[in-house]
Amino acid sequence: RALLLLGPVYLAGYLGLSGSWLLLALALWLCWGLNRRGKRDRLAAAFALLEDEREAVCRGLAARHLPAWVHFPDVERVEWLNKVLVQAWPYFGTIMEKTFKEVLEPKIRAKSVHLKTCTFTKIHFGEKCPRINGIKAYTKEIDRRQVTLDLQICYIGDCEIHMDISKFNLGVKGVQLYGTLRVILEPLLTDAPFVGAVTLFFMQKPHLEINWAGMSNLLDVPGINVMSDSLIQDFIAARLVLPNRITVPLKKNMNIAHLRFPVPQGVIRVHLLEAENLVQKDNFLGAIRGKSDPYALLRVGTVQYRSKTVSRDLNPIWNETFEFVVHEVPGQDLEVDLYDEDPDKDDFMGSLLISLVDVMNDRTVDEWFPLSKTTSGHLHLKLEWLSLVNDQEKLHEDKKGLSTAILIVYLDSAFNLPKNHFEYSNGECGTKKIKNNKYLKNMEREPSSFVLLTVGNKTQKSKTCNFSKDPKWGQAFTFFVHSAHSQSLHIEIKDKERDSTLGTSVVCLSHLLKDPSMTLDQRFQLDHSSSDSFIKMKLVLRALNVEEPDPQRVKAGVSASKLGPVRVTEKAGNLQKFSSPQVSKVPPMSKDSAALESLPKKDSGEHLDTKDSSGAPVPCETVSGLDEAEGKQNPELGPPSALPSRAAAVPTLPVLQEMRVAPSVTSLGSLPSSCFELSSSNLDIHNGTEMPLGEIQLTVRYASIRQSLVVLVNGCRNLVPSSNRGIDPYVRIYLLPDRRWTSRKKTSVKKKTLNPQYDEKFEFFESLENVKKRTLDIAVKNSRPFISQERKELGKVRIDLSREDLIKGFAQW
């Protein structure tokens, strides 16, 4: 072994190579060993956690990495199914071993001459079987004739598969696979087997890690390992990730074409507008900070687009538009990642995940989204949900050059393709005599054909059907159409082996407009081919329609924040309240019945769309203007009365709700959801008629699109000075029981004021079910000098979020 290791060193010296080659080889060897050890350690750790789920859950309690059935009540734990899998796994392994030997091995040998010696020497699927960590069943969002299940698959397998190819041993020794598998049972029948077919697919690319064995260990070499893993994941995605599906019919004579290729549910149009306050990633000599070169990656499923790169700008403006076909809602999400473009490796600048369910319900969303996984930055997006309608009147050409329709091509099969391009020329027999016998044999072989489909400047390629004159592809493709009256679909069938064209066809999309359903399902004659050569396709054209938002619907996501928050300013120590100029005072309205209108404006990370608020009879713009107007009408106001319970100080439609002040310290202290801390003994409470600790105005709401709890700190008033020099107040926020320093939120410090205005927004990225179990702990503190005897805590309030309607939200003092 020592001679074997020293052999390359001696060889390098004998050939007179530079010592840098030895260092490079040593570095590669060390990295390869590190990758191998890392894979083995990760697999061993996964096995250890799999052995004792109780210990794994206890560790997750500390690290907050819990299974989905803990966070989401609608995700059910199915231990009975896992026990069934454990019992059936040995029998499944026997079936798979027989399948590998009798089915897969002959197919591999037939692929190439070099693979004729392929033999599986060992097939063992191990003792560890796949687990289902949770199942979610959909009942309300789907058709009544189907059952939709989301299975969270986890496979940490000790399988061992080895095969020999020309005396080279290749193999796999351990696999890790994580992903969400969607199972659709449809249609439901009234007779046995009660389900017509089963459809399977992954919602996103599953995480896959393979521990190689034998010569396959070379795939762990740095550089090659990333490429090999991505190729395997792409291979899986091309067959099992949306929009690709596997459909298994359970009843005879069941037509599964419409199940394998359903019409998409809609199109999401993403306007990538701008960003602000991005993190600086570029630096000079590791010390001098510079500006970054940001670009965005946008993904829905397997489709990904990249924006242009804006050079040297932390507040880039893109103004680009991207369109994605959405196949499954709920299930698919919009993912946005920002990167800083560098010559070596691009730096990550933040990400964003948006649920398309809420976009579909709200129809139009124009928002500033805070970036997660980073320290600062907001992204301005405008999202439009486009429904697919069978209405030719919607097919007018867009002036901005955007898509107005979508073409769905169901590529079925072809018939009587020529063996080669010499066999037929424009439909007439034109066989040529070829003297090369070897080439003549190749010409007589059946073609291996694939199809190129082109609409405009976009071309898509089908899979290859090997050695068949009547290939069957069975695939679906989607194209965005700008002008259905003038554009065409170009089809070209090519032979992969000889790179020759076997036939072409052109279909004008205007032909689809002659059919009331805008659908063509027929065989099309191929040009430049035999006279009896056809291709069978189904073409479906649908118009893209942006529906108007429902004004009666309370929006569930961030698009609910259209109107500005109501603020109360302090003038000469008196509270200035306001109401609608057309309507007198209205009765108090509870926070459960008040609709939350807004969070912050752009300066606090939200964008206010004035177009969407045009329907409101009373505009809610800057509150200071409303305060001034009301102050002029009511120069003398009576003292504010204490309320027995908390009321939401939010604007209502069609009138603005009258502002109600918070209760006194005595009444607030009696509520279980409120808590004050007195850290100074000289504070007096006179029968609850005064409020010595002051008040803080908060707006709290859950944004379901961003999956986050939004807390807006508007401002404070009537704070108590803790020293003669005044106070410098700031607000600290915890989402209890989490008191970690990293999860603490803190506003800026306002100097020398008892009535600070913050208008700062903070977000806690947690699920709604998890947030409802938490308590919001908010404290107003004084930024005192170091080693000072001044009082730091000015007051604190706790809000029990389980008692609040977070989707509707509330805003109050």
Side-chain angles (χ1 to χ4, degrees):
R1 186 175 181 180
L3 289 176
L4 184 63
L5 294 176
L6 292 175
V9 181
Y10 174 81
L11 184 62
Y14 180 78
L15 296 177
L17 298 178
S18 171
S20 58
W21 288 100
L22 288 176
L23 294 177
L24 179 61
L26 180 63
L28 285 175
W29 180 72
L30 291 175
C31 291
W32 173 80
L34 187 64
N35 284 341
R36 294 290 303 151
R37 287 192 297 272
K39 278 193 174 182
R40 284 196 295 266
D41 292 343
R42 287 193 294 271
L43 190 63
F47 280 144
L49 293 179
L50 190 64
E51 291 293 337
D52 190 355
E53 187 186 13
R54 181 182 297 274
E55 181 183 357
V57 172
C58 291
R59 292 184 183 180
L61 285 172
R64 299 192 178 276
H65 297 149
L66 298 177
W69 53 265
V70 176
H71 290 294
F72 307 102
D74 53 351
V75 178
E76 301 175 15
R77 189 182 183 190
V78 284
E79 274 307 302
W80 64 270
L81 185 55
N82 290 322
K83 293 177 181 179
V84 172
L85 291 176
V86 170
Q87 291 294 100
W89 185 247
Y91 302 94
F92 174 79
T94 304
I95 296 173
M96 291 303 298
E97 181 178 353
K98 186 177 180 181
T99 304
F100 270 64
K101 281 286 188 181
E102 298 179 0
V103 179
L104 188 59
E105 189 175 290
K107 286 187 176 181
I108 295 176
R109 290 180 176 181
K111 283 287 184 181
S112 173
V113 178
H114 305 288
L115 299 176
K116 285 188 175 180
T117 60
C118 173
T119 304
F120 284 98
T121 58
K122 184 177 182 179
I123 302 174
H124 178 58
F125 277 82
E127 304 298 329
K128 311 297 182 184
C129 71
R131 280 186 55 83
I132 299 177
N133 289 335
I135 291 182
K136 181 176 181 179
Y138 294 91
T139 56
K140 298 180 180 179
E141 305 90 346
I142 60 173
D143 186 9
R144 291 186 61 85
R145 291 198 62 192
Q146 72 177 34
V147 175
T148 301
L149 305 172
D150 280 351
L151 279 67
Q152 298 182 356
I153 302 294
C154 168
Y155 177 47
I156 305 169
D158 55 346
C159 62
E160 193 168 355
I161 302 174
H162 293 269
M163 69 177 180
D164 287 342
I165 300 177
S166 300
K167 298 182 180 180
F168 291 102
N169 181 264
L170 309 174
V172 173
K173 193 175 181 180
V175 174
Q176 293 190 62
L177 176 69
Y178 306 94
T180 300
L181 181 70
R182 173 158 290 188
V183 180
I184 301 178
L185 310 176
E186 67 171 329
L188 300 180
L189 307 175
T190 56
D191 54 349
F194 307 110
V195 176
V198 178
T199 302
L200 307 171
F201 55 88
F202 281 100
M203 302 300 301
Q204 305 287 345
K205 280 186 181 181
H207 170 77
L208 177 66
E209 187 169 330
I210 300 176
N211 193 20
W212 300 104
M215 291 293 293
S216 305
N217 281 328
L218 294 176
L219 295 178
D220 286 330
V221 173
I224 300 179
N225 62 335
V226 177
M227 186 185 303
S228 62
D229 292 345
S230 62
L231 285 176
I232 295 173
Q233 288 187 352
D234 291 341
F235 179 80
I236 296 175
R239 288 157 177 80
L240 273 175
V241 180
L242 273 178
N244 306 293
R245 306 164 185 247
I246 292 180
T247 303
V248 181
L250 301 181
K251 188 176 182 180
K252 293 182 179 179
N253 303 323
M254 173 64 64
N255 183 13
I256 61 173
H258 68 285
L259 301 179
R260 287 191 62 194
F261 313 113
V263 176
Q265 296 200 10
V267 171
I268 181 73
R269 179 175 289 163
V270 183
H271 299 273
L272 179 65
L273 302 178
E274 56 185 322
E276 65 177 8
N277 299 328
L278 297 182
V279 180
Q280 297 177 346
K281 290 294 183 179
D282 292 341
N283 57 72
F284 181 70
L285 298 178
I288 303 176
R289 286 284 187 177
K291 294 186 177 180
S292 301
D293 307 317
Y295 68 90
L297 292 178
L298 300 95
R299 281 187 308 276
V300 173
T302 57
V303 180
Q304 176 174 293
Y305 293 111
R306 171 175 170 162
S307 72
K308 63 184 179 182
T309 302
V310 180
S311 300
R312 300 181 58 78
D313 196 348
L314 296 178
N315 300 288
I317 298 177
W318 288 286
N319 287 329
E320 295 185 75
T321 302
F322 305 94
E323 294 170 323
F324 298 91
V325 179
V326 182
H327 296 271
E328 288 290 326
V329 175
Q332 289 189 291
D333 299 318
L334 171 64
E335 303 173 63
V336 184
D337 294 327
L338 294 186
Y339 288 92
D340 170 31
E341 187 176 44
D342 288 324
D344 49 356
K345 183 180 179 181
D346 296 345
D347 298 319
F348 179 74
M349 303 181 70
S351 65
L352 189 63
L353 183 67
I354 298 176
S355 172
L356 296 183
V357 178
D358 299 311
V359 179
M360 180 181 67
N361 294 333
D362 293 346
R363 297 169 185 172
T364 301
V365 175
D366 193 346
E367 294 271 344
W368 281 90
F369 295 90
L371 297 174
S372 59
K373 302 178 183 178
T374 185
T375 56
S376 68
H378 287 77
L379 185 63
H380 187 189
L381 298 177
K382 182 180 179 182
L383 309 174
E384 295 178 311
W385 178 263
L386 309 177
S387 55
L388 307 184
V389 296
N390 184 15
D391 188 357
Q392 297 188 16
E393 296 181 357
K394 304 290 184 179
L395 292 176
H396 57 276
E397 190 169 352
D398 192 90
K399 297 180 180 180
K400 299 180 180 179
L402 299 175
S403 303
T404 58
I406 183 175
L407 175 67
I408 308 166
V409 181
Y410 301 100
L411 179 62
D412 186 86
S413 57
F415 307 94
N416 298 321
L417 293 182
K419 293 181 180 179
N420 54 74
H421 65 289
F422 296 117
E423 187 173 346
Y424 295 97
S425 177
N426 294 325
E428 297 179 0
C429 182
T431 307
K432 296 184 179 182
K433 295 181 180 180
I434 303 174
K435 296 181 180 180
N436 192 334
N437 293 332
K438 182 178 179 182
Y439 188 67
L440 183 60
K441 291 181 180 179
N442 290 335
M443 290 290 103
E444 292 177 351
R445 191 170 59 187
E446 299 290 339
S448 298
S449 56
F450 63 91
V451 184
L452 295 177
L453 301 103
T454 304
V455 174
N457 57 0
K458 183 178 181 180
T459 301
Q460 298 191 52
K461 179 182 176 181
S462 73
K463 66 181 181 182
T464 302
C465 292
N466 294 318
F467 313 127
S468 176
K469 291 185 65 176
D470 302 319
K472 293 184 178 180
W473 294 284
Q475 289 181 277
F477 305 89
T478 55
F479 296 90
F480 288 104
V481 178
H482 302 278
S483 176
H485 298 277
S486 59
Q487 288 187 281
S488 302
L489 170 66
H490 296 263
I491 303 109
E492 182 181 9
I493 304 178
K494 303 193 72 174
D495 187 358
K496 180 182 179 181
E497 299 291 333
R498 295 178 285 269
D499 196 21
S500 58
T501 301
L502 303 178
T504 62
S505 181
V506 178
V507 181
C508 295
L509 300 186
S510 57
H511 293 166
L512 280 81
L513 302 179
K514 299 177 182 178
D515 188 85
S517 61
M518 293 194 292
T519 302
L520 286 180
D521 188 1
Q522 65 184 55
R523 297 194 304 174
F524 297 87
Q525 173 73 47
L526 289 175
D527 299 327
H528 306 96
S529 187
S530 172
S531 58
D532 58 348
S533 296
F534 297 90
I535 183 170
K536 185 179 180 181
M537 296 183 300
K538 181 180 179 181
L539 309 180
V540 178
L541 187 67
R542 290 292 180 264
L544 302 180
N545 180 42
V546 182
E547 300 180 7
E548 294 296 328
D550 186 5
Q552 302 296 328
R553 180 181 177 274
V554 177
K555 296 191 175 183
V558 290
S559 55
S561 54
K562 295 297 181 187
L563 304 177
V566 174
R567 303 171 190 166
V568 177
T569 59
E570 198 75 22
K571 288 188 178 182
N574 295 327
L575 173 66
Q576 304 295 324
K577 61 182 180 179
F578 59 90
S579 62
S580 172
Q582 295 90 350
V583 184
S584 61
K585 294 181 180 181
V586 296
M589 186 176 181
S590 66
K591 63 179 176 61
D592 293 330
S593 61
L596 176 68
E597 299 298 331
S598 174
L599 280 181
K601 290 198 174 185
K602 180 181 176 182
D603 56 354
S604 59
E606 293 284 347
H607 179 69
L608 302 182
D609 193 351
T610 56
K611 296 180 181 179
D612 291 348
S613 60
S614 58
V618 180
C620 179
E621 298 174 352
T622 59
V623 182
S624 60
L626 292 172
D627 292 340
E628 293 173 1
E630 185 63 18
K632 293 177 181 179
Q633 295 178 8
N634 302 304
E636 296 181 0
L637 297 174
S641 60
L643 301 181
S645 62
R646 291 180 295 148
V650 296
T652 60
L653 296 176
V655 297
L656 287 175
Q657 171 68 21
E658 181 186 31
M659 290 298 296
R660 306 293 301 271
V661 299
S664 64
V665 176
T666 307
S667 60
L668 273 175
S670 63
L671 296 176
S673 61
S674 303
C675 168
F676 282 85
E677 292 182 358
L678 304 181
S679 52
S680 179
S681 59
N682 58 357
L683 297 177
D684 296 326
I685 300 177
H686 303 287
N687 298 325
T689 57
E690 296 183 4
M691 302 177 61
L693 294 183
E695 292 178 300
I696 181 170
Q697 188 189 30
L698 302 172
T699 303
V700 182
R701 179 180 56 83
Y702 188 80
S704 56
I705 286 185
R706 294 195 298 268
Q707 304 258 332
S708 65
L709 177 71
V710 181
V711 179
L712 172 65
V713 181
N714 295 85
C716 301
R717 66 185 179 190
N718 297 333
L719 297 180
V720 178
S722 59
S723 67
N724 295 329
R725 70 174 191 91
I727 59 172
D728 302 328
Y730 68 92
V731 180
R732 184 268 300 147
I733 306 175
Y734 280 123
L735 188 60
L736 300 180
D738 189 2
R739 285 186 174 274
R740 292 177 299 169
W741 180 266
T742 55
S743 61
R744 185 188 71 154
K745 308 294 184 183
K746 176 184 173 184
T747 66
S748 59
V749 178
K750 301 299 181 181
K751 298 290 185 179
K752 302 295 185 295
T753 177
L754 299 178
N755 303 287
Q757 286 291 327
Y758 298 101
D759 293 332
E760 297 185 31
K761 186 183 71 171
F762 304 95
E763 291 196 85
F764 297 90
F765 291 92
E766 299 280 351
S767 66
L768 179 59
E769 289 79 6
N770 196 13
V771 167
K772 286 184 176 180
K773 303 174 184 176
R774 314 285 280 275
T775 300
L776 204 59
D777 182 89
I778 301 172
V780 182
K781 297 190 175 185
N782 178 27
S783 179
R784 59 183 182 177
F786 185 63
I787 316 179
S788 173
Q789 299 298 322
E790 298 178 11
R791 182 166 53 86
K792 183 176 183 180
E793 295 248 355
L794 303 179
K796 180 163 65 173
V797 61
R798 286 183 180 173
I799 302 174
D800 187 0
L801 298 179
S802 63
R803 305 188 178 189
E804 307 292 345
D805 186 355
L806 297 179
I807 295 297
K808 186 180 296 183
F810 61 90
Q812 70 181 85
W813 288 92

